[in-house]
Amino acid sequence: MDDLKLYGRNEKEINSLVHTVRVFISDIGMDFGIEKCATMVMKRGKLDKSEGIRLPDGRIIRGIGDDVEGYKYLGVLEADDITHDEVKRSMKKEYIRRVKKTLSSKLNAGNVIKAINSWAVSLLRYSGGIVNWTKSELAELDRKTRKLLTIHGALHPRSNVSRLYLPRREGGRGLISVEDAINIEERNINVYVCQSQERLLKAAWKSKNVNEIETPKEYKEKMKRKRTEDWSGKQLHGQFKRETDDLSGVSWEWITTGELKKETEGLIFAAQDQALRTNAVKARIENQNVSSKYRMCGSHDETVGHILCSCPKLAQTEYKKRHDVVGRVIHWEVCKEYGVECSDKWYEHSPKSVEENEEVKLLGHFTIQTDREIHQRRPDIVIQKKKAKETIIVDIAVFGDSNILQKETEKCEKYQDLAREIQRLWKSRTKVVPVVVGALGSVSKKLAGHLEQLGIKKRTRTMQKSALLGSAHILRKVLEV
């Protein structure tokens, strides 16, 4: 028993009801929450002064008058009616406090969004259909939330807004819009009242004169479709999505886990949205009087794609480091699969040029000796299965997301001469397995099959994360963001 409302025709009746409740709750071991209780006297439709009710133990249930703001019933502040303005002020203040508290924490990006959804947005969701929120008030709260995300580095100010509210499994950030939360809750109430067999609720629904009702599910699908179209339809923001639509849905796996820091995730999303202020953006989008050329070489336009994958000055330094980290993940997994001695953690693993046991020999960045001249003789990994007489040439690349399929084909063709020579010299069936990960996290549909040929368990997410951390480091170094 909780949150009772007692009605009486006069103060004598109310006193009698209160004392009846007091005796009952005393018998069952409960008590009044005096700080939440109040009495209210109405005369001719207006609030009248009340002295309150004194209990036998000396405590007083306060009366509501001009000097008392009201009482809380089911968590909502009321007097002679719901005090909408006061409830909204209180909820807005607490909502902002919770968002700030969450963003100031050390949670990773995925957990920050989950915390805001479950701890902050849920506070306002409770008021849906009860408190009279206006559309402008809800939109303002969403703007304030985005502003706080930007202040704390979790959202780039020029990133796509619609994408922020899309599910993570579809390439969004998974944040629940305050406006959506209230609209969904109102539709939930409408569905409940519409379907109820309770006489008074049926009468209440009939009085609304509404024949059709939009369900919460229909509303969610409508908003998701609208936001997806808005994101993909933008010339810059939607470019990454359009270029990678034919790749695997696993490309978003790194987003669904949300393991990156909120600042790093915000930077990667900004890079995908072409929102970073490169020289090309300053010159062509913002119309500033600056050169669009890349600041490190001056020969190409400075775009995110050029910075991450095409700069010759970064090829043997930053690109190689990023490539080697992804290669370390694969080499460690291969060692684990074939029982070759290695460290317990992949990030502690140090690949050697030659490692072997009775079952397999692993060659890492090892130049293969051949009878004839072959230019490509140094693949990233060579797996020679001794008993099965099979050899796998593994070549790894972290490349531009829009060119992943082309790069996979290129890798296969690149080592065909070496594969034929190994097959002839080593008397071993030989195949080439490319492993290509996009600099911004994309992977092809073929990657899972390629990893399966290597005997590697599901490690797509780890490879994506490694590539993304390398890309984030490059962007910060070059653009100083």
Side-chain angles (χ1 to χ4, degrees):
M1 180 178 66
D2 196 8
D3 287 332
L4 290 177
K5 238 182 197 184
L6 305 175
Y7 293 88
R9 285 173 292 187
N10 50 52
E11 292 190 48
K12 184 177 179 181
E13 281 191 10
I14 286 294
N15 276 314
S16 174
L17 289 171
V18 169
H19 285 290
T20 300
V21 172
R22 179 185 62 79
V23 172
F24 180 79
I25 66 173
S26 177
D27 289 343
I28 63 175
M30 294 182 68
D31 196 10
F32 283 114
I34 290 294
E35 68 282 356
K36 295 182 180 179
C37 298
T39 62
M40 183 176 66
V41 176
M42 298 290 295
K43 289 185 177 179
R44 295 182 180 179
K46 294 184 178 180
L47 191 64
D48 197 20
K49 187 175 181 180
S50 172
E51 300 296 334
I53 299 174
R54 182 178 292 275
L55 300 176
D57 59 6
R59 294 184 298 168
I60 297 176
I61 297 178
R62 62 192 173 89
I64 294 177
D66 295 335
D67 57 337
V68 180
E69 62 181 7
Y71 65 95
K72 279 191 175 181
Y73 180 66
L74 296 175
V76 178
L77 192 64
E78 299 182 15
D80 55 331
D81 194 1
I82 295 175
T83 56
H84 293 278
D85 291 340
E86 186 60 36
V87 170
K88 286 190 281 190
R89 277 195 297 271
S90 174
M91 283 191 164
K92 286 178 184 177
K93 183 178 179 181
E94 178 62 14
Y95 170 78
I96 296 301
R97 186 190 75 83
R98 292 187 182 189
V99 172
K100 287 180 177 178
K101 192 79 172 175
T102 302
L103 290 170
S104 299
S105 70
K106 299 298 183 182
L107 294 172
N108 62 31
N111 287 334
V112 162
I113 298 298
K114 288 179 182 177
I116 293 175
N117 289 342
S118 59
W119 190 42
V121 176
S122 61
L123 172 74
L124 300 176
R125 186 195 294 273
Y126 180 74
S127 66
I130 300 171
V131 178
N132 293 334
W133 292 101
T134 65
K135 187 173 182 179
S136 61
E137 287 173 330
L138 298 176
E140 177 59 30
L141 279 172
D142 279 329
R143 280 193 295 272
K144 181 65 174 176
T145 304
R146 295 194 295 272
K147 183 177 179 180
L148 290 172
L149 287 169
T150 301
I151 290 172
H152 287 83
L155 177 69
H156 192 280
R158 289 180 174 81
S159 284
N160 187 270
V161 172
S162 296
R163 191 180 181 188
L164 179 65
Y165 301 110
L166 286 171
R168 285 184 166 258
R169 65 180 179 276
E170 297 178 21
R173 301 289 294 276
L175 183 66
I176 297 176
S177 161
V178 171
E179 187 173 356
D180 282 358
I182 297 298
N183 287 335
I184 288 169
E185 200 60 29
E186 289 176 350
R187 283 157 177 76
N188 276 325
I189 293 173
N190 284 342
V191 169
Y192 174 77
V193 174
C194 174
Q195 296 176 351
S196 175
Q197 298 303 312
E198 176 67 33
R199 181 175 59 84
L200 292 177
L201 290 179
K202 287 174 71 175
W205 179 253
K206 188 176 180 181
S207 68
K208 293 183 72 172
N209 294 319
V210 178
N211 296 322
E212 296 184 5
I213 181 172
E214 184 181 45
T215 66
K217 183 177 180 181
E218 290 171 343
Y219 175 81
K220 289 178 185 177
E221 289 298 321
K222 179 183 73 176
M223 294 307 298
K224 185 171 74 172
R225 186 167 56 252
K226 179 180 177 181
R227 287 177 176 136
T228 302
E229 290 172 355
D230 175 77
W231 170 29
S232 58
K234 295 288 180 65
Q235 186 174 356
L236 283 179
H237 289 172
Q239 181 178 330
F240 181 83
K241 183 176 183 349
R242 292 191 299 271
E243 290 178 347
T244 59
D245 260 347
D246 57 345
L247 298 178
S248 171
V250 183
S251 293
W252 305 126
E253 187 170 351
W254 69 272
I255 305 177
T256 59
T257 56
E259 294 176 346
L260 299 179
K261 290 183 178 180
K262 59 181 182 292
E263 297 86 356
T264 303
E265 185 176 281
L267 177 61
I268 295 298
F269 269 77
Q272 291 182 352
D273 290 343
Q274 304 292 319
L276 297 178
R277 297 183 71 242
T278 62
N279 284 342
V281 169
K282 291 177 185 177
R284 296 177 179 174
I285 306 299
E286 300 177 3
N287 295 319
Q288 292 188 24
N289 187 25
V290 297
S291 171
S292 65
K293 299 303 180 183
Y294 185 34
R295 65 194 70 185
M296 293 187 71
C297 65
S299 58
H300 296 83
D301 282 346
E302 185 179 88
T303 63
V304 169
H306 183 76
I307 294 170
L308 290 179
C309 304
S310 304
C311 175
K313 292 193 174 183
L314 297 176
Q316 295 304 316
T317 54
E318 301 301 334
Y319 295 171
K320 188 176 185 303
K321 289 178 186 177
R322 182 178 62 186
H323 167 277
D324 289 348
V325 173
V326 176
R328 189 190 308 167
V329 176
I330 297 170
H331 194 279
W332 181 81
E333 279 288 350
V334 171
C335 288
K336 296 283 285 186
E337 173 65 21
Y338 294 106
V340 177
E341 186 177 350
C342 61
S343 59
D344 293 332
K345 308 291 185 182
W346 73 264
Y347 45 82
E348 297 173 350
H349 181 57
S350 298
K352 298 176 183 177
S353 296
V354 181
E355 296 180 272
E356 66 178 311
N357 57 20
E358 294 181 355
E359 183 181 352
V360 70
K361 177 188 284 188
L362 298 181
L363 306 177
H365 295 289
F366 189 90
T367 303
I368 308 297
Q369 298 298 319
T370 59
D371 289 343
R372 62 189 182 88
E373 184 179 359
I374 295 177
H375 295 291
Q376 308 299 337
R377 296 186 294 132
R378 192 181 173 88
D380 292 311
I381 303 172
V382 174
I383 307 170
Q384 184 183 10
K385 300 179 184 179
K386 297 178 179 179
K387 294 180 181 179
K389 292 191 176 298
E390 182 181 4
T391 302
I392 302 175
I393 298 173
V394 184
D395 204 53
I396 302 160
V398 180
F399 209 67
D401 297 68
S402 60
N403 295 317
I404 287 179
L405 298 177
Q406 175 187 339
K407 196 65 177 177
E408 283 185 336
T409 304
E410 180 185 312
K411 288 289 183 184
C412 287
E413 295 174 351
K414 178 180 177 180
Y415 287 101
Q416 286 305 314
D417 286 344
L418 180 62
R420 283 189 287 268
E421 191 70 4
I422 287 177
Q423 184 165 327
R424 184 181 67 83
L425 293 174
W426 296 1
K427 308 300 182 185
S428 169
R429 297 189 309 275
T430 307
K431 59 184 175 182
V432 180
V433 176
V435 177
V436 183
V437 180
L440 293 175
S442 299
V443 296
S444 77
K445 297 175 182 178
K446 299 177 181 179
L447 181 62
H450 293 157
L451 295 180
E452 189 176 336
Q453 292 182 65
L454 304 180
I456 292 180
K457 297 176 183 177
K458 194 173 182 181
R459 276 283 167 181
T460 304
R461 183 181 70 237
T462 308
M463 291 188 291
Q464 286 175 310
K465 183 178 177 182
S466 301
L468 289 167
L469 289 174
S471 295
H473 173 71
I474 292 169
L475 289 171
R476 290 189 177 110
K477 180 177 180 177
V478 174
L479 300 178
E480 298 180 354
V481 291

